[in-house]
Amino acid sequence: ANGLADRLTVRRAAVGRTPGVTRLVAGGIESAGYYVPPADHPARERTAVETVSIDSLVADLGWAPTHLKIDVE
């Protein structure tokens, strides 16, 4: 309804040096939307998160973004 759908691509992923999968643990009050490295958490509490490098993201999209919105906790 905001007229931006044809100009935005949303990607739920972690950003790292290389593409792959990162295992993280939900953190915060009632797991309020952010994740942290697993430390001593058991495997059952870990969530697999796609990890992309900015270079791999550009290659996957087939075009270079003009803006990146990265939510850093």
Side-chain angles (χ1 to χ4, degrees):
N2 61 12
L4 298 176
D6 63 330
R7 295 180 285 177
L8 295 175
T9 301
V10 176
R11 185 83 173 254
R12 291 186 71 174
V15 174
R17 289 188 183 133
T18 57
V21 174
T22 301
R23 304 230 182 279
L24 300 172
V25 175
I29 299 171
E30 297 179 18
S31 301
Y34 69 90
Y35 291 84
V36 296
D40 295 329
H41 293 83
R44 70 179 182 279
E45 293 180 10
R46 300 175 188 195
T47 299
V49 177
E50 176 190 16
T51 305
V52 299
S53 69
I54 300 300
D55 292 336
S56 70
L57 178 64
V58 168
D60 185 45
L61 292 172
W63 47 270
T66 58
H67 295 76
L68 292 173
K69 187 324 189 159
I70 300 176
D71 188 5
V72 178
E73 300 294 333

